[in-house]
Amino acid sequence: MNKTEAIQEVVSATAGRPVVFTTGYACRIAQHIADRPGHFYMTGSMGLAASVGTGVALATGTPTVVVDGDGSLLMNPVGLVSAGAIPDLRLIHVALDDGAYASTGGQAVPSDRTDLAAWARACGYAQVLRAEDPGTLGAMLREALAHCAAPVFLHCALTASDAAVPPRVRGDLGDHQRRFSRHLATSAPHA
């Protein structure tokens, strides 16, 4: 599975749901596939997707999906610690692990020496799963969304190369944030 295939599965499974995409290629690919009001694009804030997603899940009480990168996750592990410390947090944390900081030139990320799944489990995530192909990821994500009552971690092993990555996120970032906030206010049940 490559990053585009993984994000396509996330987009297909989450129509109408809040999804926070990590900075870099993940948000670019997501916007290219389907630019939706429920998509929040992290731009220039690597390492904070899980923190933002945790806030959204707490504020809305609705299952929230975070699409994170291995480099982003390793840069700021406090997102794992915080999410795992809230036993009834309705968060599905998808970690795309390609072993590279793709957005900054492809430098190696030491994710091959770090067991991200064990890390999530140790932080308190109720369920930790691994997907190696798009179909498995889609099925796991749909199941997690249908029954999400506690933090779930989906580790996605990315081993295939991507085609050309789309250009940077289009539009004013402030406008994207306001659109996302309006979406949350009108579609999510509040806790």
Side-chain angles (χ1 to χ4, degrees):
M1 161 169 56
N2 66 25
K3 194 173 293 178
T4 300
E5 292 168 330
I7 292 172
Q8 178 63 60
E9 288 298 323
V10 171
V11 169
S12 294
T14 59
R17 304 273 191 172
V19 184
V20 176
F21 291 96
T22 191
T23 190
Y25 285 2
C27 62
R28 293 181 190 192
I29 294 167
Q31 187 182 48
H32 179 73
I33 291 170
D35 185 22
R36 295 181 178 155
H39 290 176
F40 187 80
Y41 307 117
M42 302 290 295
T43 304
S45 44
M46 184 180 273
L48 295 174
S51 297
V52 170
T54 295
V56 170
L58 283 171
T60 65
T62 191
T64 301
V65 176
V66 170
V67 178
D68 216 343
D70 52 344
S72 178
L73 189 57
L74 289 169
M75 183 173 283
N76 192 2
V78 73
L80 280 175
V81 175
S82 297
I86 306 169
D88 60 348
L89 182 67
R90 299 179 77 193
L91 183 83
I92 297 118
H93 192 166
V94 178
L96 305 178
D97 186 356
D98 62 1
Y101 287 108
S103 294
T104 61
Q107 301 89 344
V109 171
S111 59
D112 62 336
R113 296 187 315 266
T114 305
D115 187 339
L116 298 177
W119 206 6
R121 197 173 293 108
C123 287
Y125 279 68
Q127 191 173 21
V128 178
L129 306 166
R130 181 176 169 90
E132 296 185 6
D133 63 82
T136 300
L137 172 59
M140 287 177 171
L141 187 52
R142 285 178 179 82
E143 179 70 16
L145 283 165
H147 304 288
C148 187
V152 175
F153 187 83
L154 297 176
H155 181 230
C156 299
L158 305 181
T159 56
S161 298
D162 269 294
V165 176
R168 294 192 183 279
V169 170
R170 299 173 309 281
D172 179 77
L173 296 178
D175 289 342
H176 284 292
Q177 179 275 319
R178 286 184 284 280
R179 179 183 76 168
F180 183 74
S181 293
R182 281 191 305 274
H183 174 78
L184 293 180
T186 60
S187 65
H190 296 279

